Amino acid sequence: MSEAVGHEHHGPPSGLLRWVFTTNHKDIGTLYLVTSFLMFLIGGVMALLIRSELFQPGLQLVDPHFFNQMTTMHGLIMIFGAIMPAFVGLANWQVPLMVGAPDMALPRMNNLSFWILPFAFLLLVSTLFVSGGAPASGWTIYPPLVLQTGDAFPLLILSIHLMGLSSIMGAINIIATILNLRAPGMTLMKMPLFVWTWLITAFLLIAVMPVLAGAVTMLLTDKFFGTSFFNPAGGGDPVLYQHIFWFFGHPEVYIMILPAFGIISQILPTFSRKPLFGYTSMVYATASIAFLSFIVWAHHMFTVGMPLAGELFFMYATMLIAVPTGVKVFNWVATMWRGSLTFETPMLFAIAFVVLFTIGGFSGLMLAIVPADFQYHDTYFVVAHFHYVLVPGALFAIIGAVYYWLPKWTGHMYDEKLGQWHFWLSTIFVNVLFFPQHFVGLAGMPRRIPDYALQFTEWNQVSTVGAFGFGFSQLLFGYIVWKAIRGGQQAQDRVWEGADGLEWEVPSPAPYHTFETAPEVK
Amino acid sequence: MPLASVERSEWDGDHEFVIRPNCSLSWKGAKRYLALQTAVVLLAAAPMIWMGGWPVIPFAGAELLALTAAFYWVLLRAHRIEVVTIQGDRVWIRRGRRGPEEEVAYPRGWAQVVLHRAASGLDRSRLFLQAYGRPTEIGTALTSTEKEGFAEELARALGRGQRLNRTAG
């Protein structure tokens, strides 16, 4: 009888098929992170092409249309292909470990939400090879410009729908896991900050993804089915698209930064050997930022011709975001204050995040001021601003998180010396890359142009040198991670002396199935 | 797979095991969350209708349906209780949410506990109660380690020299 039972039972597939059919949160987290790194490299090559063309005025390497395709694809790939999947990968690895759950609440849906992505990315990248080339309207895909896209247009819309579908399924899974599968004793206000920020991020994702889906569907019907949502000749309004897009787009900005806040709130207390200062205020600040993200969208479009009352409302609402963000920065600094600090690589990236993200935040405040924005709009100042938020902001947090949790994932310590090299190279070059863009932007250099006036040459050259330095530094990151996967000093269960949380209670590397018995929540 | 708790009771040589999956969210809590999320999604979508962007609505509706279905499924699974009762010469396995919705009975003397151990670290163990070649999987909400302990307890409770059969994957 026992044998008969045995025949019914099949183990999971091994080899490559394991990765195709896996429903394990750790496997899927790894898949997300690897995919994200590959997309980061593709988007990075596009960035280097853009910076190479801008090394000097005039047209050198590419024609203007291809340049526009590169700026568009770089934006789409970095946002939807690199940053977002990296955060989802970190959530997949860490959320169950941090709340004491053996896996995600919906493991099969988790598998599906990942495996949609490679097809979506393939569709997106394939647009480079179809007649008319890739979309060239900027990542915001504004009509009527985007409607001039050639055969790539339906592929673009389909890939955005697929990426959105994947995001929604991922968000549902994360919320279901956090709300349903917390270990006994883990109340909401005992959850680690990374879990809190992801809960709020998933809430935001579910709220705004239908808006993006609706917007791109309207573009599709305008192009192929004769509707006139955005066509003034048929009674439509192109500014409507901008409203709808940014109603999605601004919360999307916070979707890309809130999990970063959570990561920094995990790393800083560990290496300060102190509990996080103001945990409760951090939770409320995150929720406040999420709420405010819904009422500030029009600050992206001050120059379209809004009533004065509208401009004032969106200006003040935007400036209000500085309050909860300031609470966070204050709490991070207060956490470090009089702490017993050590400066391992994750801590270095976290400190750099606090300083450099704050620079991005301040330039955001400048852009929030309507009369100033009229000057800065569509200049390189805006490019510098959002790259400070997304690169030394979101990306540094992701890199810091990888260094922080890598020993738990692989069971091996990474090479600390190489990690420090990676940090210093990245931090120096990221500033060489983006800081000069403030200067050329304030001096009036427009964004999304392949050629520029002579007076912008020097700072553009500095910026290009920084881009190559930063880009090549990330190859070192890939090598460090690869080296840690292959071997290295054995990591302890509690990898970092000051680390606190359920993920440090399980062995290193974390077993394939964790929390076989209920963990004890203190 | 959720963690679960096993509650045990024993009287006059009879035993009852109640397996409850861990669930940190009540039905009431789920309803509250879904109401809040629905309100926010609809608040986000409503101005789109006013501005002429009605195609947002079907996407919002489909998403809310998917969200509700996902929560309903997770909660249904998490609130499904499994009761194994060993009383007299019978063994009952009852499963259900509010009351027994599914019931299987075996003669105590013939019932065997079979633990099919995971073939590799990637797999999970499976636990069966069987007689006459009719196996019924039990304790699906338990983790592999919990199944080990529960299987031994169950075999002991069945008594009369019952041994736990372990098979390898």
Side-chain angles (χ1 to χ4, degrees), chain A residues 200-395:
Chain A
I200 293 169
T201 300
F203 191 89
L204 278 182
L205 264 169
I206 291 174
V208 298
M209 273 299 161
V211 178
L212 175 69
V216 296
T217 304
M218 284 183 262
L219 286 177
L220 193 77
T221 59
D222 269 12
K223 171 97 173 170
F224 294 114
F225 300 102
T227 58
S228 299
F229 288 108
F230 310 125
N231 179 7
D237 181 4
V239 175
L240 168 67
Y241 176 84
Q242 294 189 30
H243 278 292
I244 297 176
F245 179 83
W246 285 113
F247 195 84
F248 147 79
H250 199 78
E252 170 69 17
V253 171
Y254 291 97
I255 285 163
M256 287 190 288
I257 203 66
L258 292 183
F261 290 167
I263 290 165
I264 301 307
S265 304
Q266 298 297 135
I267 295 176
L268 288 179
T270 296
F271 296 99
S272 305
R273 290 160 184 80
K274 275 173 68 188
L276 181 72
F277 184 88
Y279 170 91
T280 312
S281 64
M282 284 296 222
V283 172
Y284 288 119
T286 310
S288 307
I289 292 171
F291 168 73
L292 289 170
S293 75
F294 283 108
I295 56 165
V296 296
W297 78 90
H299 69 215
H300 294 272
M301 35 192 289
F302 278 145
T303 56
V304 295
M306 248 183 283
L308 182 63
E311 286 181 341
L312 286 173
F313 171 79
F314 285 109
M315 177 173 83
Y316 289 128
T318 304
M319 294 172 89
L320 212 54
I321 296 180
V323 177
T325 312
V327 168
K328 281 185 170 292
V329 174
F330 176 83
N331 285 352
W332 289 326
V333 174
T335 301
M336 289 187 280
W337 177 252
R338 293 194 169 170
S340 181
L341 272 66
T342 51
F343 299 97
E344 288 85 345
T345 310
M347 180 63 161
L348 290 175
F349 274 103
I351 294 171
F353 172 97
V354 175
V355 176
L356 299 176
F357 171 79
T358 305
I359 293 177
F362 279 137
S363 57
L365 268 177
M366 291 168 72
L367 286 162
I369 301 165
V370 177
D373 184 76
F374 269 72
Q375 304 301 314
Y376 306 150
H377 189 83
D378 251 343
T379 69
Y380 255 84
F381 188 80
V382 179
V383 178
H385 155 68
F386 69 73
H387 277 96
Y388 259 88
V389 172
L390 287 177
V391 184
L395 183 64

Side-chain angles (χ1 to χ4, degrees), chain A residues 115-146:
Chain A
W115 277 109
I116 285 174
L117 276 186
F119 295 99
F121 296 154
L122 206 64
L123 276 177
L124 184 61
V125 175
S126 71
T127 59
L128 283 163
F129 306 102
V130 300
S131 165
S137 55
W139 83 277
T140 52
I141 53 175
Y142 279 180
L145 187 56
V146 75

